Amino acid sequence: MKRQAFLRTTLATLLFAAGTLPALAADWPSKPITLVVPFVAGGTTDIVARTVGQKLSESLKQPVIVDNRGGAGGTVGATLAAKAPADGYTLFLATIAHAIAPGLYKKLAYDFQRDFDPVALVASTPNVLIVNDKVPAKTVAELVAYIKANPGKVNFGSAGNGSTEHISGELFRAMTKTEIVHVPYKGGAPMMADLMGGQIQMAIETSPSASPHIKAGKVHALAVTTRARSPAYPGVPTLDEAGLKGYDMTTWFALMAPHGTPPEIVQRLNTELARALQQPDVVKRFEEQGVTAGHMKPAELAAFIGSETTKWVKVAKESGATAE
């Protein structure tokens, strides 16, 4: 009798939960939404997050609060978001860094593909190889020659261990067979400040973070990391053109939700984000910064993340880079 009563109670609980999920999704959102950004304010991930967050706030009629949780190449923010309730009120802006991380860290407190549900690809952008005024190089060849003449004395900055800037620099080091020293920061903004101040000499930074300083003449762009030239820097060659054959890296940003978020909410977010990315002011702002708006259905994004993780874990391991 007790077993039968237990089974009846369990069944009733499951039926109740199944019945309330659609209702919860239908009422969503009824309060502010938190968008966890795994890097500090002022960097590219933050810029992208605030651009789309504002548009989602307008369409969803609820505030979208950007919560910057930088540290450990984006893995601190990812850990926080992965453990959040899967109710649609916590979202996460992932980057290519999260596809790279499994190849750099011996142990992570989350599984990027298992613990998140893909929502939509937000944007992609090239990284830009930049140097400050103190570096006597106007081309990639001149920079390589300068580094080889000063082994171990040239520092490259990044937004942190495991970041896209980190692996971009490690790939550059491996392909040029040079001795450059990695200096990790807590985000792109403080790294750019030190680059312009002369504390470090070079970086391979994401376009939105680097663009204003390139335009102001405070740093010099020598190459972009994508296979094709960027419309934002038409006179700047690709690293492939500059002699690093096969060098190809595109930084991307994807909206994710904790695993188990109701599919109705995921689809609503996908639809609203697609509308936001088509709005003229968003398109214009992205184009000015060398960013391309991107959109994929959740299933497409899941496949894309799977292939990117396989690719960059292999590259990270072959480069010999590590992060702890």
Side-chain angles (χ1 to χ4, degrees):
M1 294 295 290
K2 288 183 178 180
R3 178 177 175 79
Q4 291 178 340
F6 171 77
L7 290 174
R8 283 197 298 270
T9 302
T10 302
L11 180 60
T13 301
L14 291 173
L15 289 172
F16 175 77
T20 56
L21 281 176
L24 289 172
D27 292 339
W28 181 90
S30 59
K31 62 181 182 180
I33 298 165
T34 297
L35 175 55
V36 177
V37 175
F39 295 99
V40 298
T44 294
T45 311
D46 182 68
I47 292 169
V48 171
R50 292 180 188 278
T51 299
V52 298
Q54 177 186 349
K55 293 301 178 181
L56 288 176
S57 179
E58 293 170 2
S59 64
L60 295 173
K61 304 294 190 294
Q62 287 290 344
V64 175
I65 302 167
V66 172
D67 184 7
N68 295 93
R69 295 297 184 106
T75 62
V76 170
T79 300
L80 175 73
K83 295 178 180 179
D87 55 7
Y89 290 101
T90 299
L91 304 175
F92 178 59
L93 190 63
T95 79
I96 187 176
H98 298 96
I100 296 170
L104 295 174
Y105 291 87
K106 291 182 179 179
K107 186 177 181 180
L108 292 170
Y110 65 93
D111 184 300
F112 184 44
Q113 295 184 75
R114 183 194 64 207
D115 294 337
F116 290 99
D117 291 340
V119 177
L121 184 69
V122 178
S124 61
T125 183
N127 292 354
V128 189
L129 172 58
I130 50 179
V131 296
N132 61 29
D133 287 331
K134 294 182 175 63
V135 177
K138 302 299 181 186
T139 67
V140 174
E142 289 177 356
L143 175 62
V144 172
Y146 175 73
I147 296 170
K148 288 185 175 180
N150 297 275
K153 296 180 181 179
V154 176
N155 300 325
F156 78 94
S158 80
N161 285 319
S163 65
T164 178
E165 298 95 334
H166 178 197
I167 202 64
S168 292
E170 294 292 354
L171 189 56
F172 178 90
R173 177 191 58 76
M175 293 181 73
T176 57
K177 296 180 172 60
T178 52
E179 293 181 39
I180 51 177
V181 180
H182 176 224
V183 181
Y185 289 79
K186 291 186 177 180
M191 184 275 291
M192 286 298 304
D194 269 10
L195 177 64
M196 291 183 288
Q199 283 79 17
I200 57 174
Q201 291 75 43
M202 60 176 282
I204 305 182
E205 176 62 310
T206 48
S207 179
S209 180
S211 178
H213 308 297
I214 294 171
K215 292 176 180 176
K218 295 179 179 179
V219 294
H220 304 294
L222 304 186
V224 295
T225 61
T226 43
R227 187 60 62 89
R229 292 195 180 195
S230 169
Y233 314 98
V236 178
T238 67
L239 279 168
D240 181 82
E241 290 176 318
L244 277 67
K245 296 301 180 183
Y247 195 112
D248 183 17
M249 172 175 268
T250 300
T251 294
W252 47 262
F253 308 88
L255 188 65
M256 312 287 280
H259 179 62
T261 298
E264 296 89 350
I265 292 177
V266 170
Q267 186 53 55
R268 172 90 183 277
L269 282 165
N270 183 281
T271 300
E272 297 295 352
L273 187 59
R275 289 198 189 102
L277 294 174
Q278 293 172 1
Q279 294 185 27
D281 57 333
V282 173
V283 173
K284 181 181 178 182
R285 185 175 188 193
F286 275 5
E287 286 179 347
E288 290 173 346
Q289 298 171 332
V291 175
T292 301
H295 186 68
M296 293 180 181
K297 296 295 184 183
E300 294 174 312
L301 180 56
F304 172 76
I305 286 174
S307 65
E308 282 285 282
T309 301
T310 299
K311 172 184 176 180
W312 290 112
V313 164
K314 183 173 183 288
V315 170
K317 289 182 177 178
E318 288 177 349
S319 76
T322 60
E324 293 299 336

